[in-house]
Amino acid sequence: MIFAFFSLVIMLYGLALLFASKTWKSLPQLNESGELKSVAIIIPFRNESKNLDSLLKSLSGLDYPEELLEVILINDHSNDDFKKIIQSFEANFPFKIIVLSLSGILNGKKSAIAEGIKHAEAEIILTSDADCVFPVDWVKNMQAPFGIEKIQLVSGSVVFKSNNFQSKIFQIEFAPLIGTGAVSIELSNPSMANGANLAVRKSIFEELNPYADNLAIPSGDDIFLLQKIKSEYPGGIFFQKEAVVETIAPENLNLFYKQRKRWAAKWSATANLKDSLPALSVWSFHLIYITAVFYSLINFEFLILLPIIIFKILTEGLFISLILKSQKQKFSLFAFGLLQLFYSFYVVIFGLLANFGSYSWKERKYNSNERSGNRFNG
């Protein structure tokens, strides 16, 4: 009876992944919009001098009419030499560029985005992060779906740069988050998006004012916006699979832990019970999966469970490989196999630890319970 339960749960998980893979492959693409729209790229930054050079080079190479594109950079109390770096680009920068600085009473990414939108003149707001680089057709692809009147927000794909074996593992671990978010949007129940590649109509942002009651919470700019539009404009969210932004993977396990803890804290602050169910289901599955493996080993019946475990691994590999292929990345079988050995333990343990204590972000320290917006120092 117990083995039947374990087998059923793992089988259903694998079938869900097969369905997600099919949905990912069939995601619609809207790359032709007719008349191009005016776009403002808004990028907050704080002490990003090591990334600003590659960011500005990437932005300057975008293929878009210069009269329709503006770049707005918002300084969140940096204390590095960002001014010198930006000034070195300003004279020959192909697009209008505006550099703003948050006042002393404002800080954080949501405040920076809101400030940037106040100064934007464009119809479409496109947000990203300072550690990203972009394909030349990024803006064209992200603004294209807005040719459909009902579309209010467009979410794009994000991938970690793969510079070494460690970053390849992080890339594989991150890919299902992008895939799950895309599938949820396609199924008309959006659950997540990534602020590194997100576009919204300026008029809708101003109408909904999505950060009005949550500025004390340091992150969640993408989720708060997604949930607000989901609530007010059902069917108004689109995932643009071909628009892929590259971002830098965490440099080490400690930074990876801090990043995931910040993301988990963001979810605890923004997600209601209904929106939390997918994450809770995944966490519960991995707990059951670990229990099933150990139970079968203790009872010397692992071979009975092995076929269903292989099915689970194959369906995970299929889903991840399809996502990476769309992002023009190679699927590393070795990295995927190694990740299989500890991924379920990571999900279960991290899912518990992420809700306690504090975490650091941009040299600022926050409580993991972000609903309080409690910042310890910074």
Side-chain angles (χ1 to χ4, degrees):
M1 187 68 178
I2 294 178
F3 261 91
F5 170 73
F6 287 150
S7 298
L8 177 62
V9 171
I10 298 173
M11 175 65 76
L12 290 175
Y13 176 80
L15 291 174
L17 286 172
L18 286 178
F19 178 75
S21 297
K22 181 181 179 181
T23 304
W24 176 269
K25 289 180 67 176
S26 63
L27 287 175
Q29 296 302 302
L30 298 174
N31 297 326
E32 298 294 333
S33 63
E35 184 178 353
L36 297 177
K37 300 184 179 300
S38 58
V39 178
I41 300 173
I42 294 183
I43 302 180
F45 66 94
R46 173 175 166 83
N47 294 333
E48 293 281 0
S49 58
K50 65 179 180 180
N51 295 317
L52 284 177
D53 188 77
S54 58
L55 170 73
L56 292 166
K57 285 180 180 177
S58 180
L59 289 170
S60 64
L62 292 172
D63 179 18
Y64 210 71
E66 63 179 65
E67 70 275 9
L68 294 178
L69 185 63
E70 57 182 339
V71 175
I72 304 177
L73 306 176
I74 307 95
N75 164 41
D76 181 9
H77 305 284
S78 299
N79 53 26
D80 57 12
D81 59 349
F82 74 91
K83 290 183 179 180
K84 183 190 303 183
I85 298 171
I86 295 175
Q87 287 171 355
S88 68
F89 280 86
E90 284 181 316
N92 298 312
F93 202 71
F95 308 107
K96 178 182 178 181
I97 185 169
I98 301 172
V99 182
L100 307 172
S101 290
L102 291 180
S103 64
I105 60 173
L106 296 176
N107 64 74
K109 188 175 180 182
K110 292 200 294 294
S111 292
I113 290 173
E115 188 68 16
I117 290 176
K118 289 180 183 178
H119 290 78
E121 299 179 353
E123 179 182 355
I124 304 300
I125 302 298
L126 183 51
T127 68
S128 191
D129 296 329
D131 59 355
C132 294
V133 295
F134 319 99
V136 295
D137 58 356
W138 175 52
V139 178
K140 284 185 177 179
N141 285 336
M142 287 298 287
Q143 63 85 42
F146 291 104
I148 299 176
E149 186 175 350
K150 73 171 185 177
I151 300 299
Q152 311 298 339
L153 182 143
V154 175
S155 174
S157 190
V158 181
V159 64
F160 282 144
K161 294 180 184 179
S162 178
N163 300 320
N164 51 45
F165 184 70
Q166 176 182 268
S167 61
K168 173 56 73 172
I169 290 179
F170 292 160
Q171 185 186 80
I172 290 175
E173 186 273 342
F174 182 52
L177 296 178
I178 297 299
T180 300
V183 170
S184 71
I185 290 172
E186 179 64 14
L187 298 178
S188 300
N189 186 31
S191 62
M192 65 180 76
N194 195 300
N197 194 5
L198 204 62
V200 64
R201 295 185 192 272
K202 181 185 178 184
S203 59
I204 295 301
F205 185 94
E206 292 175 331
E207 172 192 326
L208 300 180
N209 196 12
Y211 306 149
D213 57 355
N214 54 68
L215 279 178
I217 300 173
S219 60
D221 54 285
D222 41 20
I223 298 302
F224 280 116
L225 179 58
L226 180 77
Q227 290 181 347
K228 195 72 172 181
I229 292 181
K230 173 184 174 181
S231 174
E232 300 296 327
Y233 292 92
I237 301 172
F238 184 85
F239 186 83
Q240 186 68 302
K241 184 168 70 172
E242 297 301 321
V244 183
V245 165
E246 283 192 348
T247 188
I248 298 174
E251 295 179 357
N252 51 57
L253 289 174
N254 182 48
L255 291 177
F256 175 81
Y257 172 77
K258 290 180 178 179
Q259 183 187 68
R260 291 304 189 269
K261 191 166 186 176
R262 174 170 62 86
W263 289 0
K266 171 175 66 176
W267 271 98
S268 69
T270 59
N272 54 40
L273 179 59
K274 180 181 177 181
D275 292 331
S276 297
L277 285 178
L280 289 173
S281 298
V282 171
W283 185 87
S284 299
F285 165 77
H286 285 284
L287 179 61
I288 293 172
Y289 179 68
I290 292 171
T291 304
V293 171
F294 276 96
Y295 183 86
S296 66
L297 289 172
I298 292 172
N299 290 276
F300 302 102
E301 295 178 316
F302 180 74
L303 292 179
I304 299 176
L305 199 63
L306 185 59
I308 200 71
I309 290 176
I310 292 175
F311 174 69
K312 174 258 185 190
I313 294 173
L314 290 176
T315 55
E316 283 184 335
L318 174 63
F319 187 42
I320 293 171
S321 64
L322 287 174
I323 297 166
L324 292 179
K325 182 179 180 181
S326 296
Q327 296 173 332
K328 296 179 174 56
Q329 303 293 317
K330 293 182 179 179
F331 176 75
S332 170
L333 187 60
F334 181 59
F336 173 73
L338 184 62
L339 192 61
Q340 285 291 318
L341 297 177
F342 59 83
Y343 182 72
S344 291
F345 294 97
Y346 148 74
V347 171
V348 172
I349 295 172
F350 192 83
L352 294 173
L353 294 179
N355 292 290
F356 302 97
S358 61
Y359 67 92
S360 297
W361 183 32
K362 301 294 183 182
E363 299 87 39
R364 293 167 175 158
K365 195 172 183 180
Y366 300 93
N367 192 315
S368 286
N369 180 10
E370 288 194 340
R371 286 192 183 278
S372 65
N374 180 18
R375 195 176 85 195
F376 291 113
N377 61 62

